[in-house]
């Protein structure tokens, strides 16, 4: 990965690479999960909701919540809602 001079540029590069390369979802591995699982995503997250819903579809005992107005940093930005 390229290393840029400042943290903001490095973060933007990381996010761009994430959008282009991820998510890598292994459906067979997800199908093996057999415990209650909460799948939490922010509606304002740059990744579309389809991967989140795909994960939910392959974990039998899962529930999903996509939170309006939140992004990937929901646990850090809004810990009361997260917990």
């Amino acid at each position: 990965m390229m290393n840029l001079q400042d943290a903001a540029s490095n973060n933007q590069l990381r996010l761009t690479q994430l959008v282009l390369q991820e998510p890598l979802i292994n459906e067979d591995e997800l199908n093996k999960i057999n415990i209650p699982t909460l799948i939490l995503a922010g509606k304002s997250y740059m990744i579309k909701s389809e991967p989140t819903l795909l994960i939910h579809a392959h974990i039998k005992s899962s529930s999903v919540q996509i939170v309006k107005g939140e992004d990937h940093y929901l646990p850090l930005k809004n810990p009361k809602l997260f917990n």
Side-chain angles (χ1 to χ4, degrees):
M1 182 169 120
M2 183 187 302
N3 190 13
L4 301 176
Q5 293 297 324
D6 63 278
S9 295
N10 271 328
N11 189 51
Q12 187 59 48
L13 177 61
R14 183 183 64 79
L15 292 173
T16 301
Q17 290 173 330
L18 176 70
V19 169
L20 295 173
Q21 299 170 358
E22 301 286 337
L24 302 174
I25 298 172
N26 184 321
E27 295 171 9
D28 292 333
E29 290 297 315
L30 293 174
N31 288 328
K32 294 177 185 178
I33 299 172
N34 59 11
I35 60 172
T37 305
L38 172 61
I39 301 159
L40 187 61
K43 182 76 173 169
S44 298
Y45 189 41
M46 64 184 354
I47 303 294
K48 295 180 180 178
S49 61
E50 286 83 2
T52 302
L53 298 175
L54 178 68
I55 292 167
H56 172 56
H58 286 278
I59 301 177
K60 294 178 185 94
S61 58
S62 69
S63 59
V64 65
Q65 185 174 2
I66 299 176
V67 184
K68 185 178 180 180
E70 296 292 342
D71 60 17
H72 185 74
Y73 298 101
L74 167 63
L76 297 173
K77 291 180 176 178
N78 198 342
K80 288 182 180 178
L81 179 63
F82 181 73
N83 289 319

